[in-house]
Amino acid sequence: MTQLAPLFAVPAAPVIPVLGENNGFPVHRIFCVGRNYAAHAAEMGNAVDRTAPFYFNKPPTGLLLNGSTMPYPPGTSDCHHEIELVIAIGAPAFRIAEDEAESIVYGYATGLDMTRRDLQQIAKDQGRPWDMAKSFEDSAIIGAITKAADFRPESQRISLTVNGETKQVGHLSDLIWSVPEMISHLSRYYHLTAGDLIYTGTPSGVGPVVPGDHLVGEVEGLVTLELTIGPAE
Ligand code: MN
């Protein structure tokens, strides 16, 4: 069948800056890991589960770059910040072993998984999917990528301030599922490709944002991430 020309243009995901490169990292998919720090699982009322990691997705076209203003999202009155380490995948992988998994990492970035917490609680209570709570426009924010040769996750500090006040603090050594474990497990269910992002979960201290807030997220050794919350549309 011949390839049709598109009838109209549709939004495309932004290309992410990479330290030391003139060109950027194109985004294919966004996977997010749930409950990956024990202290955050506890604050959400959940026990640590080492059975298997679980995931949700976010729309790549809604990705916001560093320094953006995120309009306060519709349909919520309890939008929360979640600061996270993001893995940028740089090569294909299907059923990759844990001891080989780091070989397909292009680099790492600091990210925010913004969450409509009130809708998530309703979904949990009703046994429904989390899409309305997690997968919405402008819900994923990411800073410039640092190549894997220049950063290896160990025990670096991960933290977030809102208007200069520290809200979230943890260390990458607190991850329940390590970077190799997440990649290997996810690759049993998907053909991972260059351009995929994995948001790896948030430490404790999540909380609400309001219009006017200025968020600064840091993973020690990576580019600092800034986000402003704009008025509701
Ligand atoms: Mn998260």
Side-chain angles (χ1 to χ4, degrees):
M1 196 169 151
T2 52
Q3 182 76 35
L4 299 177
L7 288 164
F8 47 83
V10 293
V15 173
I16 304 169
V18 175
L19 291 189
E21 291 286 344
N22 291 323
N23 295 322
F25 183 93
V27 181
H28 179 226
R29 292 176 289 193
I30 302 176
F31 298 98
C32 306
V33 179
R35 285 173 211 152
N36 208 10
Y37 290 81
H40 173 62
E43 76 180 346
M44 292 285 108
N46 301 294
V48 171
D49 182 357
R50 275 285 299 180
T51 311
F54 70 96
Y55 311 91
F56 52 89
N57 294 83
K58 284 174 178 278
T61 52
L63 192 64
L64 292 180
L65 297 180
N66 204 352
S68 294
T69 295
M70 171 199 190
Y72 192 88
T76 182
S77 54
D78 196 25
C79 179
H80 277 205
H81 53 75
E82 296 192 358
I83 187 71
E84 312 204 353
L85 170 73
V86 183
I87 307 166
I89 301 294
F94 184 57
R95 296 178 182 146
I96 193 170
E98 285 176 20
D99 61 4
E100 296 173 8
E102 279 176 292
S103 69
I104 66 153
V105 176
Y106 181 87
Y108 297 92
T110 308
L112 276 163
D113 161 18
M114 302 303 288
T115 302
R116 295 194 277 217
R117 193 70 71 199
D118 41 2
L119 300 192
Q120 187 187 34
Q121 190 58 55
I122 291 168
K124 286 179 181 176
D125 292 345
Q126 299 185 346
R128 290 178 177 171
W130 287 7
D131 299 53
M132 296 282 277
K134 289 291 197 179
S135 180
F136 56 95
E137 297 145 6
D138 307 326
S139 64
I141 298 90
I142 193 164
I145 293 169
T146 297
K147 292 185 191 179
D150 300 320
F151 182 86
R152 189 148 193 273
E154 288 168 339
S155 57
Q156 292 93 339
R157 186 177 190 265
I158 177 170
S159 61
L160 180 88
T161 64
V162 178
N163 304 325
E165 187 179 333
T166 299
K167 298 290 187 181
Q168 294 193 256
V169 182
H171 294 85
L172 300 186
S173 46
D174 299 333
L175 284 166
I176 295 169
W177 299 101
S178 69
V179 168
E181 285 173 331
M182 284 183 266
I183 292 171
S184 177
H185 182 267
L186 197 54
S187 78
R188 291 191 237 156
Y189 297 88
Y190 299 91
H191 292 77
L192 297 179
T193 70
D196 287 336
L197 299 176
I198 306 173
Y199 281 62
T200 61
T202 196
S204 60
V206 300
V209 297
V210 296
D213 279 351
H214 185 66
L215 284 58
V216 179
E218 291 187 298
V219 175
E220 187 186 350
L222 297 179
V223 175
T224 298
L225 181 64
E226 298 193 41
L227 177 73
T228 300
I229 309 299
E233 294 171 305

